[in-house]
Amino acid sequence: QLLLLNCKVVSFVSVSLLGPWGRCMGSECGPGGSQSRAVWCAHSEGWTTLHTNCQQSERPSNQQSCFRVCDWHKELYDWQLGAWNQCVPVSMRSVGMPRPAVCTRGEEGIQTREVGCVHKSDGVPTEDAICEYFEPKPRLEQACLIPCPRECVVSEFSPWTSCSKSCGMGLQNRLRWVLAPPLFGGSACPNLTEFHTCQPGPCEGEESLHSLRVGPWGPCMLIKKKRTRNRQNRQGLKFWDLQVGYQTREVTCVHRSGNTAALSQCNQQTLPVTYQACVIPKDCEVTEWSDWSACSKECYDLNGRKGQRTRTRQVKQFPVGGGPECPELEESEPCYPQGEGIPPCIVYNWRTTEWSDCRVDVLLSQQDRRRSNQTGLCGGGVQTREVYCVQAPTETSSNLSLRPVNSDLCLGVSPNTTQLCHIPCPVECEVSSWSAWGPCTFENCQDQSTKKGFKLRKRKIMNEPTGGTGNCPHLTEAIPCEEPSCYEWLLVKLEECVPDNDKVCGPGTQNPQVQCVNSDGEYVDRQLCRDAILPMPVLCEVPCPKDCVLSPWTSWSLCSNTCSGKNSEGKQTRSRSILAYNAGDGGGQCPNSSALQEVRNCNDHPCTVYHWQTGPWGQCIEDTSVPSANSSLSRTGAGVGTNEAFCSVGMQTRKVICVRVNVGQVPPKKCPESLRPETVRPCLLPCKRDCIVTPYSDWTPCPSSCQTGTKQSRKRIIIQLPANGGQDCPEVLFQEKECDASSFCPGYRWKTHKWRRCQLVPWTIRQDSPGAQEICGPGLQARAVSCKKLDGGPADVAACLKFAGPMPQLTQSCQLPCQDDCQLTTWSKFSSCAADCVGVRTRKRTLVGKSKKREQCKNTQMYPLSETQYCPCNKYNAQPVGNWSDCILPEGGRIEGLLGMKVQGDIKECGQGYRFQAMVCYDQDNRLVETSRCNSHGYIEEACIIPCPSDCKLSEWSNWSRCSKSCGSGVKVRSKWLREKPYNGGRPCPKLDHVNQVYEVVPCLSDCSQYVWVAEPWSVWKVSNVDLKENCGEGVQTRKVRCMQNTVDGPSEPVEDYLCDPEEMPLGARESKLPCPGDCVLTDWGPWSRCPLPCNVNSTRQRTRTSNTKGFKILTTLQCSNMKHLFFFQCFFVGKLWRRRTVIQASQGDGRPCSSQLEQWKPCPVKPCYSWRYSAWSPCKSEGARCGEGLRFRNVSCFVSDGSGKNPGSMVEEELCGDLEQTVDGDKQIILQESCTVPCPGECYLTEWAVWSLCQLSCISGDDLGFGSVQVRSRAVLAQEPENLLQCPEQEWEARPCTEGQCYEYKWMIGPWKGSSRQVWCQRSDGLNVTGGCPLTSEPVSDRSCDPACVKPRSYCTEAGVCGCEEGYTEVMTSDGVLDQCTVIPVLEIPTAGDSKADVKTIRALNPTEPTANLPGRSGRTWFLQPFGPDGKLKTWVYGVAAGAFVLLVYFVHSINLLYSIHLFYHLFMLTHVSCFQLDCFTSFS
């Protein structure tokens, strides 16, 4: 009851917990699905309870509708990515994180964006779960970098301009330009202009204060007449609604202050024209788009190329009078044919011919042209085939009937046309050495009636040669002999020596063990040798205990001759050696040395040797008596492993003759008939293969344009080459013919009509202008332009716009001459010159009409009627330019190495060569011309020397030293020492010790107890002497030999060497001649490239060469590596023309090292570059007024330059650019005039835009921060009147992104102190002095003024900011540390040895207590003693010196006789006076 009561008191605090939503389920895709989740009731402390404990009304739903995603929804939904927001510093998002006080590389930040799943078609947002089904949600945040603020950087100021006035008060300006714009919130740009007043002098008379200014032309206005439309809308002008109107401009008189004044204030006789004729501007008007044309593709192929369809629109009104240009009149888009019943497209496939034979010479010819014609080559090669496109075969067509078509019809990557292959190198027949001559046997043991015998010797084939054994040399040789036999006894071995008379030692015999053999050496029954001579027992001797012990006889050596004749006979030797000498009396003595060797005759038969010699097998000839073999018989052929089919059996024959060695052919009976080789053998005949070619392709189409002399062609391709006597290929594989003359020529051209009459501005408009006349003056005239076909027929204007180039000009300015105007003809051409540099040439013009009678027109100064100029003088001078090239050896002196490769030791790499310097040729006007004009081939040559390499040179070997140990194993040493070090790349020395010696060590032995010697393997050869002969190195090979304790299990552990028997010690070193290992192997120099014209600075040429794919050996056993050789050339003005070589095999060990010069250069010959270029703009000129709107002009002229871009070049005759299209810097639109503004006197205005600055990156310590590069240009303000400065416009600058920017660093620079100040400025890393860019926090101090100021005489402000004294003076300070006065320094000079003078000088040093440099002409050292301290008081040592002087005086007083007291007093007085004078004593001290 108590528990129940408690339960009623306690209240439950329960909450509903939710599980995640499950997978969306449903039978259909889309929004009809449903998903569920778990919902349960839990106590607030976390444990689960009954559902009834939670409020049922608040229970969340456990089921909801959802969108069931299917795979095809991927095409309907996708993630939509918003733009990244501004980068926010991390410190602003993180509470408590301080922002950095000084910005170095920028501040880390975070930027966010919005990402949502949307419907692709309309962009409506939907649930993210749909897109997450296919790919994860893209990230919403990313790290970013907020760069440090970059302040504006400007250049130094220019020099001051001249005064804006020639008299009175004016202004001078100096300008600077923006080099880097302010970025990322950096400080703004400072003023780009500084002004100061100037006054050259007083003005004489009244100063002109007013100027006439013309304004810009106003808009073109229509002339309001009854007949407003011009009659120019005639033939060819229906698309140009030309209406001639007029435009006016304002003419005002302005004061220097900028205010407008009355026109009467401007004293000018004639006012400028205020009107002119113009064309009313018309915008381009076009029709609506036409319908799309049919698709150019008429078949259906989903994977093939798409077709094109187009639509057009027509021009209703072309732009005139500066109206906007017409838009595109034609557009196209890819398409597939639409509709039913569209046939499928024809399918085209790639086809290939069979591979050609494998060729090695293709690769070799790339390395060495001499190898390209050699046959019988083997190794790695290349084989090729042809690839062509055909229509896919149908069921009724065969592969052979497919004709080639245009390769563009085949889709996909075409098959390879080349592949690597391998031709096995022929294996030469290798035979063993000859066996010994056999016994004399019958030629045929079954027929022994002839009594004819032969001795035979044989050899065997050791390998499988290419083409079988038919090409091997003969294997048997025979010698006629007498008393032949077919069988003989063969001595197998001798038994043990058995002493005679059953003694233990002494003379005895050895019985032979024999076996019966036939003539082929085969064991046979012993009964067959019953007639043969049995070998006799051999005498021998078993040594007694005290006898001399001899070794057994060695085997007989090979016979010295194969036969015996008058001058030679065969000999064999054998030998034995003494194993132990006789011990004491009674022992048998050892034989002398001659008895240790025996000689016997051998091969005593005459030198009459015969053998059968075979010729090569002949051609396989069909044998009609044998039925044809199965055609499926095949054999793998050599080469590339193709299977070759054989169709029949044939016969081959060869010639067999008997030959006597060293004589020649002899009758066949001289050779053993039983050994005669076969002369006939069967063979297999390969099947015939006829040539197979494709049918001819269709004729190529003729061009649609009206071109003459064009041809069309067709071809066929060889699919299979003939072989084995098959039908040959046709000779003609390519045909061409002239195209038929086209009856329709679709070419177009512009036709221009006559200019219409000059139309003036209506008189009603210009009658108020002073000096205007009704029937003359400036006007405008138009002409008609029409489009024609090349055959003269009319055509649509759009066709000419598309095919005939830009439209001719429709209007031009004109002038109707007034009665008072002077009219002249145009200038004639200049007359010709009789010779260069001689005489003058002239041109003329004449007055026409009524101008001939007017006096003002006859003024030849205003209207000259002739011009004269000197005849051109073509004088040329040559000048060297650029640096000298490398020293280059002449090509003829080279020695070719193996396969064109160069082994550095075998070719001439040094000696006399030549170096080159480029020449330029200038004419009399200092313009670049061809070098041939100066009788030069473009170079100066000069002899030079390449020093030859010298190898390391060592002395001869010294004598051997004594053995290092008296017992056991020691060593003895001999040495060589260095005589000459290598230089200029010679072979290096072997490793030398600290005294430049190299040693050879061999073991030496003494008598000791026996142990076991154990030798390690031999080391590699080490070159100890370098020789230039063929065997270029003398080497030593060493190994470790150790004495080891011998146990039952073999050698166990090393012991001291003296425990082993020295006589059994293996050699630890051995010497031998050794070829130099691994000399460097280089390719030959690549050829010089042809220098391209230097007109394009970036013009380059390159080529690639690959070495033979199979390496080859050069001087060593190391093989060359496969390597690509890259030759790269770049040439521009005075550029370097390179040639290179590469290392095929690096030097190994002590081989001669590779030359460091792997590339050489020489200058490119300088050639003139011609180009069209604008001349400079003329000064802006305002017609008829002093200032205001005007025009400036320029021309397009032909210029010659050297292509470097460093100098502007010179203008030359236009004929030299005749072959060039008239473009300037690639722009075909030539602009020769533009409007400009002439500032009025006193007006404040902006300069022209400066050139773009260098492209600059945002960098820290040379590292690009990744914000791109930028360049900037600016306009500064120019002022002329001090009163008008407030009316000046604002300065301007603009920036743009650029590429290939550079990193620049800025640092503070300081100058020397001058008084209390010094210069401090900022400098860019390229040496340019700038303002801005350097951090202000690290700016050095430029001023060090003292406070209070230094006003005492001889004082100045020091670097420490305190007052000090000038040289020669010392500081006397007050008690509070302030300078009180500057006192002259007393100086004590102590002369030293060699100093003849001992006078006192007052010299001030920077540190008077340190020795100064000797004065000129004096030796020794001088010390300067400063008696006063910084506080102005005497130093302690001064008192010590004074006390010492006093003691010295007392000593003199007691030492000198009293008789001289008067004199002593006098001297005492004098010394004291001098001392005080030298020490500048104070009065108290005196």
Side-chain angles (χ1 to χ4, degrees):
Q1 290 179 353
L2 180 61
L3 287 175
L4 181 60
L5 178 64
N6 289 339
C7 286
K8 289 181 180 179
V9 172
V10 177
S11 62
F12 280 95
V13 181
S14 303
V15 294
S16 296
L17 294 184
L18 306 176
W21 288 107
R23 185 176 179 183
C24 189
M25 307 296 289
S27 58
E28 295 183 358
C29 299
S34 64
Q35 60 186 158
S36 59
R37 62 180 175 181
V39 178
W40 66 92
C41 183
H43 191 267
S44 58
E45 296 180 358
W47 42 271
T48 304
T49 183
L50 298 175
H51 284 222
T52 54
N53 291 328
C54 291
Q55 293 291 334
Q56 295 299 314
S57 60
E58 297 177 359
R59 178 176 178 173
S61 174
N62 66 341
Q63 194 167 3
Q64 69 176 7
S65 60
C66 60
F67 190 99
R68 183 169 178 266
V69 183
C70 296
D71 291 342
W72 54 270
H73 284 137
K74 186 174 183 180
E75 304 297 328
L76 301 179
Y77 300 93
D78 198 4
W79 292 108
Q80 186 179 56
L81 307 179
W84 290 107
N85 297 326
Q86 186 176 2
C87 192
V88 178
V90 177
S91 57
M92 295 181 62
R93 296 184 49 156
S94 302
V95 180
M97 179 180 291
R99 299 192 66 174
V102 179
C103 185
T104 55
R105 297 188 64 90
E107 187 175 358
E108 295 180 355
I110 292 178
Q111 55 187 164
T112 60
R113 65 176 175 182
E114 293 183 357
V115 176
C117 186
V118 298
H119 199 280
K120 286 185 179 180
S121 59
D122 52 12
V124 175
T126 185
E127 301 174 21
D128 287 353
I130 299 176
C131 293
E132 287 178 341
Y133 182 84
F134 301 107
E135 59 178 318
K137 188 173 184 177
R139 58 184 178 179
L140 302 178
E141 293 184 347
Q142 71 174 6
C144 54
L145 182 67
I146 303 174
C148 299
R150 301 280 176 177
E151 61 181 350
C152 181
V153 180
V154 297
S155 65
E156 289 184 299
F157 278 111
S158 66
W160 289 102
T161 61
S162 58
C163 193
S164 62
K165 288 186 178 180
S166 58
C167 64
M169 180 72 72
L171 282 179
Q172 282 182 290
N173 302 267
R174 63 174 184 176
L175 312 176
R176 55 186 174 183
W177 295 270
V178 179
L179 300 177
L183 298 173
F184 318 123
S187 58
C189 293
N191 288 332
L192 301 179
T193 309
E194 283 189 352
F195 320 97
H196 70 179
T197 58
C198 55
Q199 191 169 7
C203 295
E204 297 180 0
E206 187 177 354
E207 185 180 2
S208 175
L209 300 177
H210 295 85
S211 302
L212 199 65
R213 179 173 67 187
V214 294
W217 289 105
C220 192
M221 295 179 293
L222 193 62
I223 300 173
K224 294 181 180 180
K225 280 187 177 182
K226 293 182 181 179
R227 194 178 186 182
T228 58
R229 188 171 294 274
N230 197 306
R231 289 186 179 181
Q232 305 301 326
N233 291 339
R234 301 178 188 173
Q235 179 187 10
L237 288 180
K238 64 179 180 179
F239 299 106
W240 297 274
D241 187 12
L242 280 178
Q243 292 178 291
V244 176
Y246 71 96
Q247 56 188 159
T248 61
R249 62 179 176 179
E250 186 180 10
V251 178
T252 55
C253 184
V254 294
H255 190 267
R256 283 187 176 272
S257 63
N259 299 322
T260 304
L263 282 176
S264 58
Q265 298 291 330
C266 291
N267 299 323
Q268 188 161 333
Q269 293 181 355
T270 60
L271 294 176
V273 176
T274 59
Y275 57 85
Q276 71 177 10
C278 58
V279 176
I280 301 296
K282 295 281 186 178
D283 296 345
C284 180
E285 295 181 17
V286 295
T287 63
E288 295 296 326
W289 286 108
S290 66
D291 293 333
W292 286 105
S293 66
C295 191
S296 61
K297 192 167 187 175
E298 300 176 352
C299 58
Y300 182 76
D301 180 12
L302 185 61
N303 297 323
R305 295 187 181 92
K306 292 184 178 181
Q308 290 283 334
R309 64 175 185 170
T310 59
R311 64 177 181 175
T312 58
R313 53 186 172 184
Q314 303 297 322
V315 177
K316 294 194 298 184
Q317 167 68 51
F318 280 94
V320 291
E325 294 295 324
C326 291
E328 292 293 331
L329 301 178
E330 181 178 318
E331 70 177 6
S332 60
E333 68 178 10
C335 63
Y336 282 119
Q338 302 294 326
E340 298 180 357
I342 299 173
C345 292
I346 299 173
V347 179
Y348 297 92
N349 296 328
W350 292 109
R351 287 286 189 272
T352 60
T353 63
E354 65 178 1
W355 289 107
S356 66
D357 294 334
C358 191
R359 293 183 58 190
V360 179
D361 58 323
V362 178
L363 292 178
L364 288 179
S365 62
Q366 295 176 6
Q367 303 172 29
D368 191 342
R369 296 294 179 189
R370 299 166 302 158
R371 295 301 302 268
S372 60
N373 295 326
Q374 293 189 10
T375 58
L377 298 172
C378 62
V382 172
Q383 54 186 167
T384 60
R385 64 179 175 184
E386 194 168 351
V387 175
Y388 59 99
C389 183
V390 298
Q391 180 179 334
T394 61
E395 294 180 358
T396 58
S397 63
S398 65
N399 287 328
L400 300 181
S401 63
L402 300 176
R403 65 178 67 239
V405 296
N406 192 337
S407 296
D408 294 336
L409 297 175
C410 281
L411 302 177
V413 181
S414 63
N416 289 332
T417 57
T418 60
Q419 73 174 6
L420 295 178
C421 55
H422 185 79
I423 298 178
C425 292
V427 179
E428 300 294 335
C429 185
E430 296 181 7
V431 295
S432 64
S433 57
W434 288 107
S435 65
W437 287 103
C440 186
T441 63
F442 287 98
E443 180 182 349
N444 186 356
C445 287
Q446 279 69 34
D447 183 12
Q448 301 183 8
S449 60
T450 59
K451 302 295 184 180
K452 181 181 180 182
F454 289 97
K455 285 186 176 182
L456 304 178
R457 68 171 182 176
K458 300 179 182 180
R459 55 184 174 182
K460 297 179 181 180
I461 298 175
M462 306 298 293
N463 64 340
E464 285 292 333
T466 303
T469 60
N471 295 324
C472 289
H474 61 279
L475 303 177
T476 306
E477 287 184 346
I479 296 175
C481 60
E482 297 178 355
E483 300 181 359
S485 64
C486 289
Y487 307 98
E488 69 171 354
W489 294 107
L490 173 67
L491 176 62
V492 178
K493 69 173 184 178
L494 292 174
E495 296 178 351
E496 292 286 337
C497 186
V498 179
D500 296 337
N501 302 324
D502 296 331
K503 293 184 178 179
V504 180
C505 59
T509 56
Q510 286 179 286
N511 294 321
Q513 288 187 6
V514 295
Q515 186 69 41
C516 182
V517 294
N518 61 13
S519 57
D520 293 328
E522 300 171 346
Y523 291 171
V524 295
D525 188 83
R526 299 175 68 93
Q527 293 297 324
L528 297 176
C529 290
R530 57 183 178 273
D531 297 331
I533 300 175
L534 191 67
M536 297 297 293
V538 178
L539 297 178
C540 61
E541 187 170 358
V542 176
C544 293
K546 293 185 179 182
D547 289 346
C548 176
V549 180
L550 301 176
S551 68
W553 288 103
T554 61
S555 302
W556 288 103
S557 66
L558 294 176
C559 196
S560 60
N561 285 306
T562 58
C563 58
S564 298
K566 294 180 180 179
N567 300 323
S568 62
E569 59 181 4
K571 297 289 185 182
Q572 284 179 295
T573 61
R574 66 174 183 175
S575 61
R576 55 181 177 176
S577 59
I578 299 173
L579 298 181
Y581 289 93
N582 59 316
D585 296 335
Q589 296 292 326
C590 289
N592 54 27
S593 58
S594 61
L596 298 177
Q597 190 170 10
E598 283 188 353
V599 180
R600 74 177 183 184
N601 293 331
C602 57
N603 289 344
D604 51 359
H605 52 264
C607 297
T608 310
V609 181
Y610 301 94
H611 66 86
W612 291 107
Q613 181 172 305
T614 58
W617 287 106
Q619 187 176 0
C620 190
I621 302 173
E622 187 174 358
D623 187 1
T624 57
S625 63
V626 180
S628 297
N630 192 339
S631 60
S632 64
L633 184 64
S634 63
R635 181 184 65 186
T636 300
V640 290
T642 58
N643 288 332
E644 187 176 6
F646 297 92
C647 294
S648 60
V649 177
M651 299 296 292
Q652 279 181 295
T653 61
R654 65 176 175 180
K655 187 177 181 180
V656 177
I657 60 173
C658 182
V659 173
R660 179 177 172 182
V661 177
N662 298 327
V663 174
Q665 184 175 356
V666 295
K669 62 182 181 180
K670 297 289 187 181
C671 293
E673 186 63 29
S674 61
L675 301 177
R676 183 178 185 133
E678 61 180 355
T679 58
V680 179
R681 71 175 182 183
C683 57
L684 294 175
L685 281 170
C687 301
K688 293 182 179 180
R689 285 204 314 170
D690 296 337
C691 177
I692 302 177
V693 295
T694 65
Y696 273 112
S697 64
D698 293 329
W699 289 101
T700 57
C702 285
S704 59
S705 59
C706 243
Q707 301 177 10
T708 58
T710 57
K711 296 180 179 181
Q712 55 182 161
S713 61
R714 65 177 184 173
K715 66 177 181 178
R716 52 184 174 178
I717 298 170
I718 298 175
I719 301 176
Q720 176 178 286
L721 291 170
N724 307 322
Q727 183 179 354
D728 291 335
C729 290
E731 295 182 0
V732 179
L733 299 174
F734 179 82
Q735 292 180 341
E736 63 180 4
K737 65 179 181 179
E738 296 286 342
C739 285
D740 296 334
S742 177
S743 59
F744 173 72
C745 294
Y748 303 94
R749 63 180 176 85
W750 290 106
K751 181 180 179 180
T752 56
H753 301 268
K754 290 184 179 180
W755 290 105
R756 308 300 180 190
R757 65 179 178 85
C758 189
Q759 187 170 347
L760 304 179
V761 177
W763 175 247
T764 56
I765 297 173
R766 57 189 175 94
Q767 62 184 353
D768 297 333
S769 298
Q773 300 184 32
E774 183 176 357
I775 59 173
C776 62
L780 196 69
Q781 62 184 158
R783 66 178 175 184
V785 175
S786 58
C787 182
K788 298 288 184 182
K789 299 177 182 178
L790 292 182
D791 59 2
D796 188 72
V797 175
C800 282
L801 287 174
K802 186 174 181 180
F803 299 108
M807 184 174 58
Q809 189 177 356
L810 292 175
T811 61
Q812 69 174 8
S813 300
C814 57
Q815 181 86 22
L816 285 178
C818 298
Q819 292 181 354
D820 297 334
D821 293 343
C822 295
Q823 300 179 43
L824 297 95
T825 61
T826 57
W827 286 105
S828 66
K829 292 184 178 180
F830 277 105
S831 60
S832 58
C833 289
D836 290 342
C837 309
V838 177
V840 295
R841 59 181 184 177
T842 59
R843 66 175 182 174
K844 298 180 179 180
R845 63 180 177 177
T846 58
L847 292 167
V848 295
K850 297 180 180 180
S851 300
K852 298 179 181 179
K853 299 179 181 179
R854 295 191 181 96
E855 291 298 325
Q856 70 268 22
C857 296
K858 295 180 182 179
N859 185 352
T860 55
Q861 291 185 350
M862 294 184 62
Y863 304 101
L865 300 179
S866 65
E867 281 187 353
T868 303
Q869 63 179 207
Y870 289 107
C871 286
C873 188
N874 294 326
K875 293 182 179 179
Y876 307 101
N877 68 300
Q879 297 179 10
V881 63
N883 298 324
W884 286 102
S885 72
D886 293 325
C887 193
I888 300 167
L889 295 174
E891 296 292 334
R894 307 296 299 254
I895 301 174
E896 295 295 337
L898 181 60
L899 285 181
M901 296 300 172
K902 301 298 176 185
V903 184
Q904 196 173 336
D906 296 340
I907 63 173
K908 185 178 180 183
E909 288 285 347
C910 58
Q912 178 173 326
Y914 295 92
R915 61 177 186 166
F916 302 88
Q917 189 178 25
M919 291 285 294
V920 290
C921 185
Y922 295 101
D923 62 6
Q924 71 278 1
D925 297 324
N926 205 32
R927 299 180 301 188
L928 194 66
V929 295
E930 297 284 347
T931 54
S932 58
R933 303 278 184 93
C934 294
N935 297 324
S936 169
H937 63 282
Y939 291 112
I940 308 174
E941 294 185 11
E942 182 179 84
C944 54
I945 298 294
I946 298 178
C948 294
S950 176
D951 298 335
C952 175
K953 294 182 175 61
L954 302 176
S955 67
E956 297 298 326
W957 285 111
S958 66
N959 295 326
W960 288 106
S961 67
R962 293 183 178 179
C963 193
S964 60
K965 286 190 177 181
S966 58
C967 175
S969 175
V971 292
K972 55 182 180 179
V973 183
R974 63 176 180 175
S975 61
K976 290 184 178 185
W977 57 90
L978 179 66
R979 292 174 53 191
E980 186 176 325
K981 291 184 178 180
Y983 57 88
N984 293 335
R987 286 192 181 94
C989 295
K991 188 173 182 180
L992 304 174
D993 65 357
H994 65 284
V995 292
N996 289 333
Q997 289 190 359
V998 64
Y999 302 94
E1000 182 184 14
V1001 179
V1002 295
C1004 51
L1005 311 170
S1006 303
D1007 246 348
C1008 287
S1009 302
Q1010 182 179 3
Y1011 275 74
V1012 177
W1013 290 109
V1014 176
E1016 294 184 0
W1018 288 104
S1019 67
V1020 295
W1021 290 101
K1022 293 183 181 179
V1023 175
S1024 56
N1025 179 34
V1026 177
D1027 192 2
L1028 293 180
K1029 297 179 181 179
E1030 183 177 358
N1031 292 328
C1032 67
E1034 201 173 67
V1036 61
Q1037 194 178 20
T1038 60
R1039 63 178 177 181
K1040 288 185 178 179
V1041 179
R1042 291 181 293 180
C1043 183
M1044 303 191 72
Q1045 186 174 1
N1046 198 11
T1047 64
V1048 177
D1049 298 327
S1052 57
E1053 54 183 351
V1055 294
E1056 292 295 329
D1057 286 351
Y1058 67 86
L1059 297 175
C1060 288
D1061 188 351
E1063 293 186 359
E1064 293 181 2
M1065 180 179 182
L1067 290 177
R1070 61 184 179 188
E1071 184 181 354
S1072 174
K1073 287 282 185 179
L1074 182 71
C1076 287
D1079 276 2
C1080 178
V1081 183
L1082 297 173
T1083 62
D1084 196 4
W1085 284 113
W1088 297 107
S1089 75
R1090 290 181 301 154
C1091 249
L1093 278 177
C1095 308
N1096 181 4
V1097 175
N1098 295 322
S1099 62
T1100 60
R1101 298 180 65 197
Q1102 74 176 30
R1103 70 175 190 177
T1104 305
R1105 184 177 74 178
T1106 308
S1107 72
N1108 185 3
T1109 55
K1110 185 174 179 66
F1112 43 82
K1113 301 179 181 179
I1114 301 181
L1115 291 189
T1116 69
T1117 58
L1118 296 176
Q1119 287 190 331
C1120 300
S1121 303
N1122 297 340
M1123 179 176 293
K1124 287 187 176 180
H1125 314 276
L1126 184 65
F1127 298 84
F1128 176 79
F1129 309 99
Q1130 183 174 16
C1131 188
F1132 42 90
F1133 172 62
V1134 199
K1136 295 179 180 179
L1137 174 61
W1138 295 93
R1139 68 173 184 178
R1140 291 183 170 87
R1141 57 181 177 180
T1142 54
V1143 176
I1144 292 294
Q1145 174 179 287
S1147 60
Q1148 305 286 331
D1150 295 320
R1152 175 171 292 172
C1154 292
S1155 170
S1156 60
Q1157 189 182 39
L1158 297 180
E1159 58 184 19
Q1160 288 181 337
W1161 70 272
K1162 65 179 179 181
C1164 291
V1166 180
K1167 295 184 178 180
C1169 296
Y1170 300 103
S1171 61
W1172 292 109
R1173 200 177 304 171
Y1174 286 126
S1175 62
W1177 285 108
S1178 65
C1180 189
K1181 187 175 182 181
S1182 183
E1183 183 183 1
R1186 189 172 182 181
C1187 58
E1189 293 295 319
L1191 291 174
R1192 61 178 185 174
F1193 303 89
R1194 63 182 177 184
N1195 295 321
V1196 172
S1197 304
C1198 183
F1199 277 74
V1200 63
S1201 67
D1202 53 26
S1204 66
K1206 297 179 181 178
N1207 57 46
S1210 306
M1211 189 168 67
V1212 294
E1213 295 79 7
E1214 291 190 358
E1215 290 80 4
L1216 295 175
C1217 291
D1219 296 333
L1220 301 176
E1221 183 181 6
Q1222 196 172 46
T1223 60
V1224 179
D1225 297 330
D1227 189 3
K1228 295 183 180 180
Q1229 186 176 6
I1230 305 299
I1231 300 175
L1232 299 180
Q1233 76 173 42
E1234 68 178 9
S1235 60
C1236 57
T1237 302
V1238 180
C1240 294
E1243 185 179 4
C1244 191
Y1245 62 96
L1246 292 174
T1247 63
E1248 295 293 330
W1249 283 106
V1251 296
W1252 288 102
S1253 67
L1254 296 175
C1255 201
Q1256 183 170 347
L1257 291 167
S1258 296
C1259 304
I1260 291 292
S1261 302
D1263 297 331
D1264 181 14
L1265 296 179
F1267 295 108
S1269 49
V1270 69
Q1271 57 184 164
V1272 67
R1273 66 175 182 174
S1274 56
R1275 301 175 69 184
V1277 176
L1278 277 178
Q1280 303 181 74
E1281 289 283 349
E1283 297 85 359
N1284 296 349
L1285 291 178
L1286 295 178
Q1287 302 176 10
C1288 290
E1290 293 290 333
Q1291 63 189 24
E1292 297 179 3
W1293 63 266
E1294 61 183 10
R1296 69 180 183 187
C1298 53
T1299 57
E1300 299 180 0
Q1302 296 181 353
C1303 287
Y1304 292 107
E1305 298 293 329
Y1306 299 89
K1307 65 177 180 179
W1308 290 107
M1309 307 294 291
I1310 57 174
W1313 287 105
K1314 292 183 178 179
S1316 60
S1317 64
R1318 63 177 175 183
Q1319 275 192 326
V1320 175
W1321 70 97
C1322 183
Q1323 189 177 83
R1324 202 165 68 176
S1325 54
D1326 59 353
L1328 193 66
N1329 296 335
V1330 297
T1331 299
C1334 294
L1336 296 177
T1337 54
S1338 60
E1339 182 179 3
V1341 177
S1342 60
D1343 184 76
R1344 57 180 187 189
S1345 300
C1346 295
D1347 187 22
C1350 304
V1351 295
K1352 301 293 184 182
R1354 302 293 183 179
S1355 67
Y1356 72 98
C1357 190
T1358 63
E1359 290 185 28
V1362 297
C1363 295
C1365 294
E1366 296 177 357
E1367 292 188 13
Y1369 294 84
T1370 188
E1371 298 83 2
V1372 178
M1373 314 298 288
T1374 63
S1375 59
D1376 54 356
V1378 179
L1379 180 68
D1380 182 54
Q1381 62 176 324
C1382 291
T1383 309
V1384 177
I1385 298 175
V1387 178
L1388 174 63
E1389 183 176 322
I1390 303 176
T1392 57
D1395 195 350
S1396 60
K1397 298 181 180 180
D1399 56 335
V1400 176
K1401 305 282 185 183
T1402 302
I1403 299 175
R1404 164 77 159 132
L1406 291 178
N1407 188 352
T1409 60
E1410 293 184 359
T1412 63
N1414 294 337
L1415 296 174
R1418 302 182 62 173
S1419 60
R1421 294 179 297 175
T1422 303
W1423 287 269
F1424 295 90
L1425 304 179
Q1426 185 174 348
F1428 296 101
D1431 54 357
K1433 299 179 181 179
L1434 281 172
K1435 296 181 179 179
T1436 306
W1437 64 268
V1438 178
Y1439 295 100
V1441 171
F1446 181 76
V1447 173
L1448 184 63
L1449 291 176
V1450 173
Y1451 171 78
F1452 280 119
V1453 170
H1454 289 282
S1455 301
I1456 299 175
N1457 199 317
L1458 292 176
L1459 294 175
Y1460 301 102
S1461 58
I1462 299 175
H1463 296 285
L1464 177 62
F1465 177 77
Y1466 174 74
H1467 283 290
L1468 180 62
F1469 174 78
M1470 290 299 296
L1471 285 172
T1472 307
H1473 181 70
V1474 171
S1475 298
C1476 288
F1477 173 76
Q1478 289 179 342
L1479 297 177
D1480 197 14
C1481 301
F1482 288 104
T1483 306
S1484 58
F1485 177 75
S1486 302

